[in-house]
Amino acid sequence: MEIAPHISVDPGIHHEVPVVSGTRVPVAIVIGSLAGGMTKEDVCQEYDISKEAVEAAYAAALINATEVISLVGD
């Protein structure tokens, strides 16, 4: 199931860990590679994914790390 453009979750792939759609490349690997100093272009070549997929993985990781705080009282 695609959860965002270029990002999918499938129970049969990496135990439902978000991956780049159409691949078995986990979002966490893409983010780790960028954090480790690889450029977007390096990541694209290393994992055979598009620039848009790298950017989508980065966006998905940011959204996942964001805490949502309700401004409406309970």
Side-chain angles (χ1 to χ4, degrees):
M1 167 176 65
E2 191 166 81
I3 59 170
H6 304 285
I7 307 298
S8 299
V9 173
D10 182 332
I13 300 176
H14 288 288
H15 309 286
E16 295 189 77
V17 169
V19 297
V20 175
S21 297
T23 74
R24 297 181 67 81
V25 179
V27 166
I29 294 294
V30 174
I31 300 309
S33 297
L34 292 169
M38 291 176 75
T39 65
K40 250 192 270 190
E41 292 77 18
D42 293 339
V43 174
C44 291
Q45 287 182 331
E46 181 70 25
Y47 300 109
D48 194 26
I49 58 177
S50 69
K51 178 181 153 191
E52 292 80 14
V54 173
E55 291 167 351
Y58 183 75
L62 283 176
I63 291 167
N64 189 47
T66 302
E67 182 179 349
V68 177
I69 300 171
S70 176
L71 298 177
V72 179
D74 291 323

